[in-house]
Amino acid sequence: METIEQKMNEYFNWLKQSYKYKEMDSSTEITTPFRNHLNDYIRIYADMLPNNEIRLSDDGLTFNELEMFGIDVNTKTRDRLIPVSYTHLRAHETV
């Protein structure tokens, strides 16, 4: 019987092989093997910043789709959660 670790390794190998990268003018387009609610592959854009940081973006697609479905993304809760999430991510980054 295969161990969980072996299954995880298989999954991570599949995941690594399934990502596609495309160099663009000012960023790298990363196409994930995952699909959204419209069955389109999820794409992320990575931009190298002058201070050697990387900015990840979906080019506003998520917020646009939420607004199309009538979800208000401009709430006090969202304004409070975004800085907290950013601070949490910064606290766990590796140098």
Side-chain angles (χ1 to χ4, degrees):
M1 185 165 77
E2 292 184 301
T3 65
I4 291 176
E5 185 175 354
Q6 288 170 319
K7 286 293 184 189
M8 287 176 59
N9 285 334
E10 288 175 19
Y11 173 72
F12 292 137
N13 286 334
W14 169 82
L15 195 60
K16 187 175 180 180
Q17 293 171 2
S18 297
Y19 275 82
K20 306 290 185 239
Y21 304 91
K22 178 181 175 184
E23 292 296 329
M24 303 180 78
D25 289 337
S26 62
S27 63
T28 301
E29 180 185 75
I30 303 165
T31 303
T32 74
F34 306 108
R35 295 177 186 249
N36 64 15
H37 65 286
L38 299 172
N39 208 31
D40 293 330
Y41 287 106
I42 296 173
R43 290 187 173 87
I44 302 168
Y45 300 91
D47 299 321
M48 287 301 297
L49 302 177
N51 57 359
N52 287 330
E53 290 184 346
I54 299 172
R55 176 179 41 217
L56 298 176
S57 169
D58 71 348
D59 203 25
L61 186 63
T62 299
F63 284 130
N64 289 341
E65 289 179 355
L66 289 171
E67 288 176 346
M68 279 191 330
F69 284 108
I71 298 170
D72 184 6
V73 296
N74 297 311
T75 65
K76 289 181 182 180
T77 301
R78 178 187 169 272
D79 290 341
R80 190 178 73 244
L81 289 176
I82 297 297
V84 169
S85 299
Y86 179 74
T87 302
H88 180 75
L89 286 172
R90 295 287 303 200
H92 290 89
E93 71 182 13
T94 58
V95 179

